[in-house]
Amino acid sequence: MAVRAVRGAVQLERDESAHMHDQVGELLTAVLERNGLTADDLISVWFTATPDLHADFPAAAARKLGIVDVPLICAQELDIAGAMPRVVRVLAHVETGLAKSEISHVYLGAAAALRKDIAQ
């Protein structure tokens, strides 16, 4: 098994806790499914949120999914003029047999525009 990093992002429609939980939950589920992973394969997960998101911690969505024994951390994205608003990004460190080139990075909805080079 190798340690790999998986990236992803989702743009929220509004700054509400339930909406954040739904969207971040969908993102994490897609990251796991598209890479053939389970929660046991997670080493740690880093979340960032744009400065316009205040309703909740993105990591709370992971806990709702049952990811309870994995270190999670949240941070704020840089406040850059013109940046896409209401975005939650994820960087998951995982144990997997996949090669780097086989990792599926997940950018849902409008967030796909953030990384057209790796979004799948």
Side-chain angles (χ1 to χ4, degrees):
M1 288 289 170
V3 174
R4 302 284 184 226
V6 185
R7 290 288 317 271
V10 63
Q11 184 183 37
L12 305 184
E13 295 175 17
R14 57 195 175 279
D15 184 23
E16 295 175 0
S17 182
H19 180 61
M20 179 181 287
H21 288 201
D22 290 344
Q23 294 298 297
V24 174
E26 182 180 335
L27 175 62
L28 290 173
T29 299
V31 164
L32 294 173
E33 287 177 354
R34 292 184 192 182
N35 289 287
L37 302 168
T38 68
D40 287 339
D41 299 317
L42 294 171
I43 297 169
S44 64
V45 183
W46 181 282
F47 297 92
T48 64
T50 51
D52 52 0
L53 294 174
H54 308 280
D56 207 346
F57 295 98
R63 298 295 185 219
K64 273 185 84 170
L65 285 177
I67 300 172
V68 295
D69 61 351
V70 175
L72 308 175
I73 192 165
C74 296
Q76 189 176 79
E77 279 289 328
L78 295 173
D79 192 7
I80 304 298
M84 184 180 288
R86 299 176 318 279
V87 175
V88 174
R89 291 172 173 84
V90 63
L91 173 65
H93 300 96
V94 302
E95 291 180 313
T96 180
L98 295 175
K100 286 181 186 178
S101 62
E102 296 174 308
I103 295 293
S104 179
H105 303 282
V106 180
Y107 290 78
L108 299 179
L114 296 171
R115 289 298 306 263
K116 293 178 183 175
D117 58 323
I118 63 172
Q120 297 179 7

